[in-house]
Amino acid sequence: MSGNKEQVAYVLQQGAIGPLCQALSIDDPQVLAVVMDALSNILKLAACSHDDLVSVTSQIEECGGLDKIEDLQNHRNEEIYKLAFDLIDKYFTEDVEELPENMADGEYTFGANAAADHQQTKFEF
C-alpha cells in the first residue's frame, strides 16, 4: 500500500497480478477488500503512464481478474460491491466511442449505396 513506483514495478515483474486475481475468489470480505485495495493501488500508480495502465489492465483481464471483479459487483457485502464498482468504473470502462462513418443524426445506414436508398435502409431507435 505504501510502496513506491519502483517497488510496485518489481512486484509486478514477479507476477503478482495472477495470484491477486486468484484471491478474488476467496469468500472472505476482509481478504477481498485487501486484494481490491492492492489492485487499486497498483492501477493508481500505473495510471501515471498510459502504457503502464494498459499493461496492468491487460494482465488483470488475461488472468480472469476482470470477470471476478465484475462478479463482485453483486457481492452481499456493500463495501466489496463498492470497491468492485469503483475499480471497474475508474480503470475498465472506455470513453464514449466515436460514431461510425455511416452514423448520422441518430440513424444508422447500411451499404455503399445507403445514401441513395436512404428510405429503405435507415433504422430509427
Side-chain angles (χ1 to χ4, degrees):
M1 294 185 102
S2 62
N4 63 33
K5 191 167 184 155
E6 290 79 25
Q7 292 167 326
V8 171
Y10 177 77
V11 169
L12 292 177
Q13 289 171 353
Q14 301 307 306
I17 294 290
L20 283 171
C21 290
Q22 287 176 341
L24 292 171
S25 297
I26 298 172
D27 194 29
D28 180 338
Q30 289 179 318
V31 171
L32 291 172
V34 169
V35 171
M36 285 195 284
D37 281 341
L39 289 172
S40 179
N41 289 328
I42 290 168
L43 288 162
K44 194 180 303 178
L45 280 175
C48 294
S49 160
H50 176 73
D51 291 340
D52 291 344
L53 183 60
V54 168
S55 174
V56 173
T57 55
S58 294
Q59 289 178 52
I60 291 171
E61 288 181 47
E62 289 169 6
C63 69
L66 180 56
D67 293 333
K68 292 176 183 176
I69 295 168
E70 287 173 343
D71 290 344
L72 290 171
Q73 289 184 104
N74 299 315
H75 198 274
R76 65 189 174 281
N77 183 300
E78 188 174 344
E79 178 187 4
I80 300 305
Y81 152 77
K82 286 180 181 178
L83 289 169
F85 179 84
D86 287 344
L87 276 175
I88 290 172
D89 186 49
K90 288 180 185 176
Y91 302 107
F92 293 97
T93 56
E94 303 214 5
D95 294 332
V96 176
E97 297 178 14
E98 292 183 30
L99 293 175
E101 291 178 21
N102 51 346
M103 177 86 169
D105 299 324
E107 298 175 350
Y108 192 79
T109 56
F110 295 91
N113 295 326
D117 198 16
H118 186 62
Q119 295 297 340
Q120 295 177 353
T121 58
K122 79 175 185 178
F123 289 88
E124 294 181 23
F125 297 94

